[in-house]
Amino acid sequence: MGAGPLDDPRYVGYRRRLIEEIRGKGIEDLEVLQLFDRVPRHLFLPEGVRLRAYEDSPVHIGYGQTASQPSLQAFFLSVLHAQADERVLEIGTGSGYLTALLAHSADRVYSVERVRELSIRARKSLDELGLANVALLVGDGTIGWRKYAPYQVIVVSAASPSVPGALVDQLADPGRMLLPVGDRDHQDLTLVRKSGGQVSEEAVRDGCTFVPLLGSFGWDEEGAR
Ligand code: SAH
């Protein structure tokens, strides 16, 4: 692995440091850590903030949105463990970075984003890396993407006031979904499992702060709900 033709050798060392930082925060899962080595995060960020790509922090990507903190995404990946024969639904494409990480482990990734410009930008980055197993949709992800359901894995990268029912419906049995649930400022990462027709919920991490999930089954545009 290391610098590919699209990569910049400067960034390889930064990326290794980021991986060490993620490991230091308790993610020991080698499969997950290797994903971070395979995907150059800077390619998913706007030019002006690329130098911050390998800091373990959220980065503003425009349109009031942020690319999530890498160690938090590593946590998502280590909980969900998408397999090579599984379909993943992602809500909140954003920069497309998590989409790319997921595309390296799953069979196909279906990702919904409400901001058209972000989806277009993500498509460009994913194409640059030749990731052909990703389908993107511009729309309200709180209603899911019925066409390709059911999904063995669903991941939501924006904070929801509750677990959107449409996403539970589109989850395969067995299947697992991870999403931040709570109020506008604080959420718990909630793992929803479907198995044998039963649905269970478990908080696997508390005190996260994500941008709001806006839409029919999320927050309204003003966040007044
Ligand atoms: N994993 C992404 C996170 C982006 S932030 C990354 O690291 O880049 C969450 C994204 O969810 C934002 O881009 C926001 O526009 C999007 N979003 C918010 N509500 C949405 C909805 N109802 N449907 C689809 N996307 C939504």
Side-chain angles (χ1 to χ4, degrees):
M1 273 175 270
L6 283 159
D7 210 347
D8 179 329
R10 239 182 341 162
Y11 288 120
V12 177
Y14 296 161
R15 196 148 65 236
R16 295 281 151 82
R17 276 216 303 270
L18 172 63
I19 291 167
E20 283 315 309
E21 198 172 340
I22 293 172
R23 196 203 297 270
K25 290 180 179 168
I27 311 285
E28 306 271 352
D29 192 321
L30 268 187
E31 259 175 60
V32 169
L33 294 171
Q34 277 167 0
L35 289 174
F36 283 81
D37 203 19
R38 294 176 73 175
V39 183
R41 187 171 186 242
H42 64 274
L43 293 182
F44 291 86
L45 300 182
E47 293 279 354
V49 291
R50 282 194 169 177
L51 274 174
R52 300 197 46 217
Y54 300 104
E55 290 172 18
D56 188 30
S57 54
V59 177
H60 289 287
I61 53 173
Y63 310 95
Q65 306 305 327
T66 54
S68 310
Q69 183 181 16
S71 58
L72 199 49
Q73 295 185 319
F75 182 75
F76 268 76
L77 294 166
S78 66
V79 170
L80 291 169
H81 254 280
Q83 302 295 307
D85 60 349
E86 293 185 318
R87 274 199 308 278
V88 178
L89 174 66
E90 178 189 38
I91 308 302
T93 316
S95 65
Y97 178 58
L98 184 62
T99 323
L101 294 167
L102 289 164
H104 277 287
S105 27
D107 177 33
R108 284 193 75 76
V109 182
Y110 300 87
S111 185
V112 186
E113 169 58 54
R114 59 184 283 282
V115 179
R116 176 176 304 276
E117 291 80 358
L118 289 177
S119 184
I120 290 170
R121 213 199 269 158
R123 171 90 276 162
K124 230 176 121 229
S125 308
L126 293 162
D127 285 350
E128 269 181 331
L129 292 177
L131 290 169
N133 60 336
V134 176
L136 301 183
L137 176 73
V138 175
D140 177 8
T142 65
I143 58 168
W145 192 349
R146 198 159 290 283
K147 188 171 175 189
Y148 299 104
Y151 305 94
Q152 286 76 32
V153 172
I154 299 181
V155 51
V156 183
S157 295
S160 188
S162 59
V163 180
L167 299 185
V168 177
D169 289 347
Q170 292 172 33
L171 190 62
D173 186 348
R176 53 220 187 269
M177 162 160 61
L178 192 58
L179 75 169
V181 179
D183 58 32
R184 290 282 288 231
D185 302 319
H186 292 284
Q187 305 95 36
D188 293 336
L189 272 188
T190 303
L191 177 64
V192 178
R193 284 200 194 88
K194 196 190 268 188
S195 177
Q198 302 289 314
V199 177
S200 64
E201 283 181 29
E202 180 195 350
V204 289
R205 184 164 170 161
D206 57 14
C208 303
T209 308
F210 284 79
V211 297
L213 182 73
L214 304 172
S216 308
F217 299 99
W219 301 94
D220 61 29
E221 296 285 329
E222 291 77 39
R225 216 159 100 179

